[in-house]
Amino acid sequence: YYNLGRAMMSEGKYAGAVVMLKQALARLGEQSYIYLALSEALERSENISGAVEALNKYAALREKERTDQDEKEWYARKLASLREKQGKP
């Protein structure tokens, strides 16, 4: 499901990608890399609130995996960019 979701994203089929990535989460459990892809698919389908939620779940899981400082800074920049699109500070 994850690979199919990524393939659908590369074809611009974002709504289908969201469905496949959610199915991957249901089958594989919470995996940070799936939440990251889901956030991207949701952002591209203009569901910014959903993208923020998925990115926050990604960050929570990565925190448990002991991320490095560069990744934390990337996450902060990405979240700020999504919130700007959402119209929230």
Short mmCIF file of all heavy atoms in Angstrom, two decimals, residues 1 6 8 11 13 19 24 27 40 43-45 48-50 52 54 57 59 61 66 74-79 82 85:
data_model
loop_
_atom_site.label_atom_id
_atom_site.label_comp_id
_atom_site.label_asym_id
_atom_site.label_seq_id
_atom_site.Cartn_x
_atom_site.Cartn_y
_atom_site.Cartn_z
N TYR A 1 0.82 -1.20 0.00
CA TYR A 1 0.00 0.00 0.00
C TYR A 1 0.87 1.27 0.00
O TYR A 1 0.54 2.23 -0.66
CB TYR A 1 -0.96 0.01 1.18
CG TYR A 1 -2.02 -1.06 1.06
CD1 TYR A 1 -1.91 -2.27 1.73
CD2 TYR A 1 -3.12 -0.86 0.24
CE1 TYR A 1 -2.88 -3.25 1.61
CE2 TYR A 1 -4.10 -1.83 0.10
CZ TYR A 1 -3.97 -3.02 0.78
OH TYR A 1 -4.94 -3.98 0.65
N ARG A 6 2.92 5.91 -2.98
CA ARG A 6 4.01 6.74 -3.52
C ARG A 6 3.93 6.81 -5.05
O ARG A 6 4.15 7.86 -5.64
CB ARG A 6 5.38 6.18 -3.09
CG ARG A 6 5.65 6.24 -1.60
CD ARG A 6 5.71 7.60 -1.03
NE ARG A 6 6.83 8.36 -1.56
CZ ARG A 6 7.11 9.60 -1.24
NH1 ARG A 6 6.37 10.24 -0.35
NH2 ARG A 6 8.12 10.22 -1.76
N MET A 8 1.23 6.53 -6.87
CA MET A 8 0.09 7.38 -7.22
C MET A 8 0.45 8.86 -7.06
O MET A 8 0.03 9.69 -7.86
CB MET A 8 -1.12 7.01 -6.37
CG MET A 8 -1.68 5.64 -6.73
SD MET A 8 -3.08 5.19 -5.72
CE MET A 8 -4.38 5.86 -6.76
N GLU A 11 2.23 10.16 -9.99
CA GLU A 11 1.34 10.36 -11.14
C GLU A 11 0.35 11.50 -10.91
O GLU A 11 -0.50 11.75 -11.76
CB GLU A 11 0.57 9.07 -11.40
CG GLU A 11 1.44 7.92 -11.86
CD GLU A 11 0.68 6.62 -12.02
OE1 GLU A 11 -0.54 6.58 -11.75
OE2 GLU A 11 1.32 5.63 -12.40
N LYS A 13 -1.98 11.62 -8.58
CA LYS A 13 -3.25 11.11 -8.08
C LYS A 13 -3.22 11.16 -6.54
O LYS A 13 -3.13 10.14 -5.86
CB LYS A 13 -3.49 9.69 -8.57
CG LYS A 13 -3.56 9.59 -10.08
CD LYS A 13 -3.69 8.17 -10.55
CE LYS A 13 -3.75 8.12 -12.07
NZ LYS A 13 -3.75 6.74 -12.56
N VAL A 19 -5.56 7.55 0.24
CA VAL A 19 -6.28 6.31 0.60
C VAL A 19 -5.29 5.17 0.79
O VAL A 19 -5.36 4.42 1.77
CB VAL A 19 -7.33 5.96 -0.49
CG1 VAL A 19 -7.91 4.58 -0.26
CG2 VAL A 19 -8.42 7.01 -0.52
N ALA A 24 -1.89 1.68 4.32
CA ALA A 24 -0.59 1.20 4.78
C ALA A 24 -0.46 1.36 6.29
O ALA A 24 0.05 0.47 6.97
CB ALA A 24 0.53 1.97 4.06
N ARG A 27 -2.46 -1.32 8.01
CA ARG A 27 -1.88 -2.67 7.89
C ARG A 27 -0.53 -2.81 8.60
O ARG A 27 -0.24 -3.85 9.16
CB ARG A 27 -1.71 -3.03 6.43
CG ARG A 27 -3.02 -2.96 5.68
CD ARG A 27 -3.32 -4.21 4.99
NE ARG A 27 -4.58 -4.07 4.28
CZ ARG A 27 -5.48 -5.01 4.26
NH1 ARG A 27 -5.27 -6.12 4.90
NH2 ARG A 27 -6.59 -4.84 3.57
N GLU A 40 2.69 14.71 2.84
CA GLU A 40 2.98 15.26 1.51
C GLU A 40 1.77 15.11 0.59
O GLU A 40 1.39 16.06 -0.12
CB GLU A 40 4.19 14.54 0.92
CG GLU A 40 4.60 15.05 -0.43
CD GLU A 40 5.78 14.30 -1.00
OE1 GLU A 40 6.41 13.49 -0.30
OE2 GLU A 40 6.06 14.53 -2.19
N GLU A 43 -0.94 17.53 1.66
CA GLU A 43 -0.60 18.90 1.29
C GLU A 43 -0.86 19.14 -0.20
O GLU A 43 -1.44 20.14 -0.58
CB GLU A 43 0.87 19.17 1.61
CG GLU A 43 1.32 20.57 1.22
CD GLU A 43 2.79 20.83 1.48
OE1 GLU A 43 3.53 19.90 1.85
OE2 GLU A 43 3.19 21.99 1.30
N ARG A 44 -0.45 18.19 -1.02
CA ARG A 44 -0.64 18.34 -2.46
C ARG A 44 -2.11 18.29 -2.86
O ARG A 44 -2.48 18.85 -3.88
CB ARG A 44 0.15 17.29 -3.21
CG ARG A 44 1.64 17.55 -3.11
CD ARG A 44 2.42 16.56 -3.90
NE ARG A 44 3.85 16.84 -3.76
CZ ARG A 44 4.77 16.19 -4.43
NH1 ARG A 44 4.44 15.26 -5.30
NH2 ARG A 44 6.04 16.48 -4.24
N SER A 45 -2.92 17.62 -2.06
CA SER A 45 -4.36 17.60 -2.34
C SER A 45 -5.07 18.75 -1.64
O SER A 45 -6.30 18.80 -1.59
CB SER A 45 -4.98 16.25 -1.95
OG SER A 45 -4.89 16.05 -0.56
N ILE A 48 -4.56 20.96 4.06
CA ILE A 48 -3.45 21.43 4.88
C ILE A 48 -3.61 21.00 6.34
O ILE A 48 -2.63 20.61 6.98
CB ILE A 48 -3.28 22.96 4.75
CG1 ILE A 48 -3.12 23.37 3.28
CG2 ILE A 48 -2.11 23.45 5.58
CD1 ILE A 48 -1.97 22.71 2.55
N SER A 49 -4.81 21.04 6.86
CA SER A 49 -5.02 20.60 8.25
C SER A 49 -4.62 19.14 8.42
O SER A 49 -3.97 18.78 9.40
CB SER A 49 -6.49 20.78 8.65
OG SER A 49 -6.82 22.14 8.64
N GLY A 50 -5.01 18.31 7.47
CA GLY A 50 -4.62 16.91 7.52
C GLY A 50 -3.12 16.73 7.39
O GLY A 50 -2.52 15.87 8.06
N VAL A 52 -0.82 18.87 8.37
CA VAL A 52 -0.23 19.27 9.65
C VAL A 52 -0.37 18.13 10.66
O VAL A 52 0.59 17.78 11.36
CB VAL A 52 -0.89 20.56 10.19
CG1 VAL A 52 -0.50 20.82 11.63
CG2 VAL A 52 -0.54 21.76 9.31
N ALA A 54 -0.71 14.89 10.11
CA ALA A 54 0.17 13.77 9.75
C ALA A 54 1.63 14.11 10.05
O ALA A 54 2.39 13.26 10.54
CB ALA A 54 0.00 13.41 8.28
N LYS A 57 2.25 13.70 13.72
CA LYS A 57 2.38 12.28 14.09
C LYS A 57 3.75 11.76 13.67
O LYS A 57 4.36 10.97 14.39
CB LYS A 57 1.26 11.47 13.46
CG LYS A 57 -0.08 11.75 14.13
CD LYS A 57 -1.18 10.89 13.56
CE LYS A 57 -2.49 11.22 14.28
NZ LYS A 57 -3.61 10.41 13.75
N ALA A 59 6.49 13.53 13.51
CA ALA A 59 7.47 14.08 14.45
C ALA A 59 7.42 13.35 15.78
O ALA A 59 8.48 13.09 16.39
CB ALA A 59 7.22 15.57 14.66
N LEU A 61 6.61 10.25 16.34
CA LEU A 61 7.26 8.94 16.18
C LEU A 61 8.76 9.08 16.02
O LEU A 61 9.53 8.29 16.58
CB LEU A 61 6.67 8.21 14.97
CG LEU A 61 5.25 7.71 15.15
CD1 LEU A 61 4.69 7.21 13.82
CD2 LEU A 61 5.19 6.60 16.19
N ARG A 66 14.76 8.98 18.23
CA ARG A 66 15.94 9.81 18.49
C ARG A 66 16.49 10.46 17.22
O ARG A 66 17.54 10.10 16.70
CB ARG A 66 17.04 8.99 19.16
CG ARG A 66 16.62 8.47 20.49
CD ARG A 66 17.81 7.94 21.24
NE ARG A 66 17.38 7.57 22.57
CZ ARG A 66 17.49 6.36 23.08
NH1 ARG A 66 18.05 5.41 22.38
NH2 ARG A 66 17.07 6.10 24.29
N TRP A 74 14.46 20.72 10.14
CA TRP A 74 13.66 20.54 8.92
C TRP A 74 12.18 20.46 9.28
O TRP A 74 11.35 21.10 8.64
CB TRP A 74 14.08 19.26 8.18
CG TRP A 74 13.12 18.93 7.09
CD1 TRP A 74 13.14 19.41 5.82
CD2 TRP A 74 11.95 18.11 7.19
NE1 TRP A 74 12.06 18.92 5.12
CE2 TRP A 74 11.31 18.12 5.94
CE3 TRP A 74 11.38 17.37 8.21
CZ2 TRP A 74 10.15 17.41 5.69
CZ3 TRP A 74 10.22 16.67 7.96
CH2 TRP A 74 9.62 16.69 6.71
N TYR A 75 11.87 19.69 10.31
CA TYR A 75 10.48 19.53 10.74
C TYR A 75 9.88 20.89 11.12
O TYR A 75 8.77 21.21 10.73
CB TYR A 75 10.39 18.56 11.92
CG TYR A 75 9.08 18.64 12.65
CD1 TYR A 75 7.93 18.09 12.11
CD2 TYR A 75 8.97 19.31 13.87
CE1 TYR A 75 6.71 18.18 12.76
CE2 TYR A 75 7.77 19.40 14.52
CZ TYR A 75 6.64 18.84 13.97
OH TYR A 75 5.43 18.95 14.62
N ALA A 76 10.62 21.68 11.87
CA ALA A 76 10.13 22.99 12.30
C ALA A 76 9.85 23.89 11.09
O ALA A 76 8.83 24.58 11.04
CB ALA A 76 11.13 23.66 13.24
N ARG A 77 10.74 23.87 10.10
CA ARG A 77 10.53 24.68 8.88
C ARG A 77 9.33 24.19 8.10
O ARG A 77 8.52 24.98 7.61
CB ARG A 77 11.78 24.65 7.99
CG ARG A 77 12.95 25.46 8.52
CD ARG A 77 14.05 25.60 7.48
NE ARG A 77 14.46 24.34 6.88
CZ ARG A 77 15.41 23.53 7.36
NH1 ARG A 77 16.03 23.83 8.48
NH2 ARG A 77 15.73 22.42 6.72
N LYS A 78 9.19 22.88 7.96
CA LYS A 78 8.07 22.31 7.20
C LYS A 78 6.75 22.62 7.89
O LYS A 78 5.77 22.99 7.24
CB LYS A 78 8.26 20.79 7.06
CG LYS A 78 7.19 20.11 6.26
CD LYS A 78 7.21 20.58 4.83
CE LYS A 78 6.15 19.85 4.02
NZ LYS A 78 6.06 20.33 2.66
N LEU A 79 6.69 22.46 9.20
CA LEU A 79 5.47 22.75 9.95
C LEU A 79 5.11 24.23 9.82
O LEU A 79 3.94 24.56 9.61
CB LEU A 79 5.62 22.35 11.41
CG LEU A 79 4.38 22.47 12.28
CD1 LEU A 79 3.24 21.63 11.72
CD2 LEU A 79 4.68 22.07 13.70
N LEU A 82 3.55 24.76 6.40
CA LEU A 82 2.17 24.27 6.34
C LEU A 82 1.23 25.19 7.09
O LEU A 82 0.12 25.47 6.62
CB LEU A 82 2.08 22.85 6.90
CG LEU A 82 2.66 21.74 6.03
CD1 LEU A 82 2.68 20.43 6.79
CD2 LEU A 82 1.89 21.62 4.74
N LYS A 85 0.42 28.16 5.00
CA LYS A 85 -0.59 27.83 3.99
C LYS A 85 -1.98 27.72 4.61
O LYS A 85 -2.96 28.03 3.96
CB LYS A 85 -0.24 26.51 3.32
CG LYS A 85 0.90 26.57 2.36
CD LYS A 85 1.15 25.23 1.72
CE LYS A 85 2.32 25.28 0.78
NZ LYS A 85 2.54 23.97 0.14
#
